[in-house]
Amino acid sequence: MKRFVEVEQWLKTHGIRLTDQRRLVVRRAVAYLHFTAEELVKDVQEFDPSVARGTVYRTLAMLQQAGMVEKHDFRYGPPNYEVTFAKAHHDHLMCLHCGEIIEFQEPRWERLQDEVATRYKYQLLTHTHKLYGLCAACQGAGDKRLAKPPHLHVEEMVA
Amino acid sequence: MKRFVEVEQWLKTHGIRLTDQRRLVVRRAVAYLHFTAEELVKDVQEFDPSVARGTVYRTLAMLQQAGMVEKHDFRYGPPNYEVTFAKAHHDHLMCLHCGEIIEFQEPRWERLQDEVATRYKYQLLTHTHKLYGLCAACQGAGDKRLAKPPHLHVEEMVA
DNA sequence: TGTTAGTTGAGACTGAGTCTCAAGTAAGAT
DNA sequence: ATCTTACTTGAGACTCAGTCTCAACTAACA
């Protein structure tokens, strides 16, 4: 089953009203790996220019609230969103030159984290762990500065 | 020797002109553990209201460039700055209720990171690792939402 | 097919940060 | 000590991302 169908079902069963606008936002969001709010606004408005910015932000907040979308503050540019519904926990490795984002898992970290939390008597709720560097392809390139914002990877429109 | 004296010397030896404004910004910054740009602006302007916002931002950027100040995107609110000059590398643990920030070191992480970077053929440049939870004191409190922004810890003014 | 509470679009508003440029000044040269 | 000049500053306009308000609209249940 397509992911957006599951997301829509989840919304329905949780008493959240399904409007055309929300459907569109969800469908466009799941087509991306990572995206910024403004990118999603533009993308959604290409399909329906009448959808307001506020609606996209509100829907995004709602999805985040529901735990289907996560917001990441990568170090450069505005925050990045990711649809995490039915996805295993992972951390991120980002190329500072081309903006590639790799998702990886490292269970040994999770254990070390618990250890640290215990050390300081903290009840751990969440964490972010991000590595920044240069991917193999960009290590040769001359200018090592961030060339473009963290991106993107669009699948086809699933309408 | 006071930290700000070292910072000022460093600036001097690197051909950066020492103005009264920069001196003030540096001195106020080293009085904090963590601070936001706007907090520093207000703080600096209490000592000299004629210092412009732009000047504080510019000085902050310069110090960051020089590697004496680090910018942290904690998950809530605007970015947090920290004077890292002559400080060992560390990561952060933050209480989501009272905003306490604990700095800790965990060398085993660094090794795991190198491993991950190698796995993906990345040249690692930097990383951020932040744990969020509830400190011992706040675990009992009723409302678990973030009560106030990441803060602060002011030492006395060193003028 | 009502009814109504939840949702929307439009645009004003906010907060954080950047930019511009004329005026001011630190610090090396004289 | 004073000159010179490139660097720095203050003021305020500007930008960008995100939030808020409110009248008009609509999904979904009765």
Side-chain angles (χ1 to χ4, degrees):
Chain A
M1 199 195 322
K2 287 285 186 187
R3 274 167 89 212
F4 73 85
V5 178
E6 302 179 71
V7 173
E8 290 178 4
Q9 280 185 346
W10 189 96
L11 294 177
K12 207 151 193 159
T13 60
H14 285 72
I16 291 165
R17 195 179 288 183
L18 261 185
T19 64
D20 289 349
Q21 293 88 336
R22 284 178 180 173
R23 251 187 281 267
L24 180 58
V25 171
V26 167
R27 285 168 192 218
R28 293 313 301 146
V30 301
Y32 287 90
L33 217 55
H34 293 93
F35 55 92
T36 68
E38 289 299 317
E39 280 164 351
L40 188 58
V41 169
K42 279 205 194 67
D43 185 298
V44 161
Q45 291 181 339
E46 271 179 38
F47 289 89
D48 180 352
S50 77
V51 174
R53 244 156 57 86
T55 298
V56 175
Y57 275 92
R58 278 183 298 235
T59 306
L60 220 35
M62 192 195 67
L63 294 170
Q64 206 190 334
Q65 188 77 20
M68 339 205 63
V69 159
E70 265 178 30
K71 186 177 170 186
H72 298 291
D73 276 305
F74 286 103
R75 237 166 123 150
Y76 308 89
N80 233 270
Y81 292 84
E82 174 188 4
V83 179
T84 50
F85 182 65
K87 248 174 126 178
H89 172 76
H90 55 263
D91 292 310
H92 297 90
L93 171 59
M94 177 179 150
C95 175
L96 290 179
H97 188 255
C98 70
E100 177 189 51
I101 293 171
I102 289 179
E103 304 178 347
F104 65 90
Q105 293 180 267
E106 186 44 76
R108 285 172 289 174
W109 259 321
E110 316 292 323
R111 255 173 281 137
L112 278 176
Q113 284 182 173
D114 292 339
E115 230 180 83
V116 171
T118 308
R119 189 188 311 161
Y120 294 102
K121 302 203 189 337
Y122 263 61
Q123 174 192 346
L124 206 57
L125 294 176
T126 164
H127 75 271
T128 69
H129 195 163
K130 306 202 169 69
L131 309 186
Y132 301 90
L134 295 172
C135 71
C138 291
Q139 281 170 41
D143 178 1
K144 302 284 200 243
R145 282 167 310 164
L146 183 61
K148 53 175 183 126
H151 258 251
L152 275 197
H153 258 182
V154 192
E155 297 167 14
E156 83 294 355
M157 171 69 180
V158 278
Chain B
M1 194 194 328
K2 288 285 186 187
R3 273 167 91 211
F4 72 85
V5 179
E6 301 180 73
V7 174
E8 290 178 4
Q9 281 186 345
W10 189 96
L11 294 177
K12 206 148 194 163
T13 59
H14 285 72
I16 291 164
R17 195 181 288 183
L18 262 184
T19 64
D20 289 349
Q21 293 89 336
R22 286 177 179 174
R23 251 187 283 266
L24 180 58
V25 171
V26 167
R27 283 167 193 217
R28 292 313 302 147
V30 300
Y32 287 90
L33 216 55
H34 292 93
F35 55 92
T36 67
E38 289 298 317
E39 279 164 352
L40 188 59
V41 169
K42 279 204 194 67
D43 185 297
V44 161
Q45 291 182 338
E46 271 179 39
F47 288 90
D48 180 351
S50 78
V51 175
R53 246 156 55 85
T55 298
V56 175
Y57 275 92
R58 278 184 296 237
T59 307
L60 221 35
M62 192 194 67
L63 293 170
Q64 207 189 334
Q65 187 78 20
M68 340 205 62
V69 158
E70 265 178 30
K71 187 176 171 186
H72 298 291
D73 277 304
F74 286 103
R75 237 167 123 149
Y76 308 90
N80 233 270
Y81 291 84
E82 175 188 2
V83 179
T84 50
F85 182 65
K87 249 175 126 176
H89 172 76
H90 56 263
D91 292 310
H92 297 90
L93 172 58
M94 177 178 151
C95 176
L96 289 179
H97 188 254
C98 69
E100 177 190 52
I101 293 171
I102 289 178
E103 303 178 346
F104 66 89
Q105 292 179 268
E106 186 43 77
R108 284 173 290 174
W109 259 320
E110 317 291 323
R111 256 173 281 137
L112 278 177
Q113 285 182 172
D114 291 340
E115 231 181 83
V116 171
T118 308
R119 189 186 312 161
Y120 295 101
K121 302 204 189 337
Y122 263 62
Q123 174 191 345
L124 206 58
L125 294 175
T126 164
H127 74 272
T128 69
H129 195 163
K130 307 207 168 65
L131 309 186
Y132 302 90
L134 296 171
C135 70
C138 290
Q139 281 171 40
D143 179 3
K144 302 284 199 245
R145 284 167 309 163
L146 183 62
K148 53 177 181 124
H151 257 251
L152 275 197
H153 259 182
V154 191
E155 297 167 14
E156 83 295 356
M157 171 69 181
V158 279

